[in-house]
Amino acid sequence: MTENHDARERVEDEAPTPAAVMGGFQEPWVQMKYYSFHPCIYPGMIKAVSPNIPPGSIVYVYDKEGRPFGNGIFNPKARVPLRAFDTASRVLDFG
């Protein structure tokens, strides 16, 4: 049996930090629930995501307090929805 659930549905009912709610995060964003420097971020490690992120998008990653954590590639339908490729206190600008 294969799981084909959206990662947004698997995120627990935790509210994102106030910075995310007030538009303080660069779009598209993913906020982590736990610190991890491993490149594979599983659904249980994700606190919140911005709405309507297309699969394969490069996203800004924020830590559990809402501070910039790095960047990654997000696919809400994948078993490992976030693949981090940069972990730094600054967030790269791809715009």
Side-chain angles (χ1 to χ4, degrees):
M1 182 158 128
T2 60
E3 262 187 58
N4 195 19
H5 298 285
D6 194 306
R8 286 176 273 242
E9 294 171 8
R10 293 182 276 182
V11 172
E12 293 181 16
D13 293 328
E14 281 192 44
T17 60
V21 174
M22 298 173 70
F25 287 177
Q26 289 182 276
E27 296 269 340
W29 56 266
V30 174
Q31 185 177 13
M32 293 179 26
K33 189 187 306 185
Y34 306 107
Y35 290 105
S36 174
F37 288 98
H38 194 279
C40 297
I41 308 299
Y42 294 92
M45 301 166 72
I46 296 173
K47 183 174 184 178
V49 300
S50 62
N52 305 319
I53 302 174
S57 295
I58 294 175
V59 295
Y60 300 100
V61 180
Y62 294 89
D63 69 12
K64 61 184 183 178
E65 278 89 28
R67 295 181 300 242
F69 189 78
N71 297 93
I73 298 171
F74 185 74
N75 181 351
K77 299 203 181 289
R79 216 175 263 217
V80 180
L82 179 61
R83 307 264 181 170
F85 61 80
D86 180 48
T87 54
S89 60
R90 83 232 180 295
V91 176
L92 300 176
D93 184 12
F94 297 99

